[in-house]
Amino acid sequence: MRIRIVDAFTDRPFSGNPAGVLLLDAFPDDPWLQKVAAEVNLSETAFAHPLPPGGGADWALRWFTPITEVDMCGHATLATAHVLRATGRATGTVRFAARCGVLTTTAAGDGTITMDFPTSPLTPVDPPEGLADALGAEVVSVHDTAAHIGDLLVELRDEKAVRALTPDLPALAGLSERGVIATAAAEDPGRGHDFVSRCFFPRVGIDEDPVTGSAHTALAPFWSARLGRAELTGLQGGARTGIVRTALRGERTLLTGQAVTVIEGDLRV
């Protein structure tokens, strides 16, 4: 079967967030899916298969990190939609049935793909004991996110603080269900982004995720409330970076980006 590595939330290879993508006829057993994801060893590998026509979704979609299945993944969904378009398996709008509900992606003529995801509710919480020490940075505010994400959204003082993070990953692993989203307002919005973020998920086998679509379902309402605009641009990443355009639509958040296939080959099983 064909396997592809796609860099998501970027228009050039070797940037953005890489994801594995396999299009199947049906899902094999879970241990096999997990072994493939461990072999690919990227933050997520997406597995998808077509559904019968006439239902509420067009494709079934699941995502696995190297060690576990996750409820929601943005960049691997974008990568899957990119592969469907590139191979002619789907055009226009595609509906995916996933653990977090039905997600849709819509391809545009300019090469961008827009994903329709549930907005993450945010709950202000006190900083957990040890959070500032684990991050190595001053914490301004902390919000808990919805169950499908399971992160702590942590506001830092400024963009420089986010970029300089070298967190204690084992310490972070015990502070939330999935991980920590560190964010701050852009130092210079004239450079094309409104806020920055970095995401650390050691609890699910991902030390740092370069560009996390699911995190932006929480970042969008957080920064839209502060900046007074429904449509924003986020820059995420440390060594690798990518751009996510967000549009807050109440209980739904639109995430727009590009993707590029960098590796395509045969998975021999």
Side-chain angles (χ1 to χ4, degrees):
M1 62 191 70
R2 300 297 285 173
I3 184 169
R4 298 165 176 86
I5 306 299
V6 176
D7 287 346
F9 292 115
T10 183
D11 61 355
R12 58 183 62 89
F14 314 123
S15 58
N17 198 356
V21 179
L22 281 88
L23 304 182
L24 307 167
D25 295 325
F27 290 137
D29 57 65
D30 288 5
W32 186 89
L33 297 172
Q34 189 62 73
K35 288 176 182 177
V36 172
E39 188 77 8
V40 173
N41 200 32
L42 295 173
S43 59
E44 268 91 11
T45 297
F47 302 90
H49 72 75
L51 295 172
D58 308 303
W59 288 75
L61 180 61
R62 297 173 71 180
W63 313 277
F64 286 77
T65 78
I67 65 171
T68 191
E69 185 173 7
V70 296
D71 285 353
M72 181 189 294
C73 179
H75 85 280
T77 302
L78 176 60
T80 304
H82 167 79
V83 169
L84 289 175
R85 181 173 64 175
T87 58
R89 299 290 299 273
T91 58
T93 297
V94 182
R95 300 167 300 167
F96 294 100
R99 284 171 60 164
C100 59
V102 174
L103 309 173
T104 64
T105 65
T106 303
D110 62 359
T112 61
I113 294 173
T114 297
M115 303 182 291
D116 185 330
F117 272 52
T119 300
S120 176
L122 297 174
T123 304
V125 296
D126 293 329
E129 184 176 353
L131 174 62
D133 289 340
L135 282 173
E138 177 187 349
V139 173
V140 176
S141 70
V142 180
H143 289 73
D144 200 4
T145 62
H148 287 308
I149 302 178
D151 297 331
L152 289 178
L153 191 155
V154 181
E155 181 186 8
L156 301 185
R157 183 180 62 255
D158 53 32
E159 181 173 336
K160 291 179 181 177
V162 174
R163 291 183 178 274
L165 287 174
T166 56
D168 180 341
L169 295 170
L172 282 186
L175 297 178
S176 66
E177 181 180 342
R178 183 177 73 164
V180 168
I181 307 165
T183 187
E187 182 177 357
D188 179 10
R191 297 177 63 183
H193 59 275
D194 301 294
F195 60 89
V196 296
S197 64
R198 291 175 66 187
C199 292
F200 305 97
F201 308 134
R203 191 180 181 93
V204 294
I206 306 166
D207 288 348
E208 179 170 6
D209 198 34
V211 194
T212 313
S214 61
H216 283 76
T217 67
L219 289 163
F222 181 85
W223 286 112
S224 289
R226 281 157 176 74
L227 300 178
R229 288 184 285 124
E231 298 185 4
L232 300 170
T233 300
L235 171 69
Q236 183 185 330
R240 296 174 68 117
T241 61
I243 290 291
V244 184
R245 287 164 33 206
T246 67
L248 189 62
R249 299 291 186 264
E251 295 184 354
R252 308 295 295 185
T253 294
L254 305 183
L255 309 173
T256 299
Q258 294 178 271
V260 57
T261 301
V262 293
I263 298 174
E264 182 175 349
D266 292 326
L267 176 64
R268 299 185 180 274
V269 294

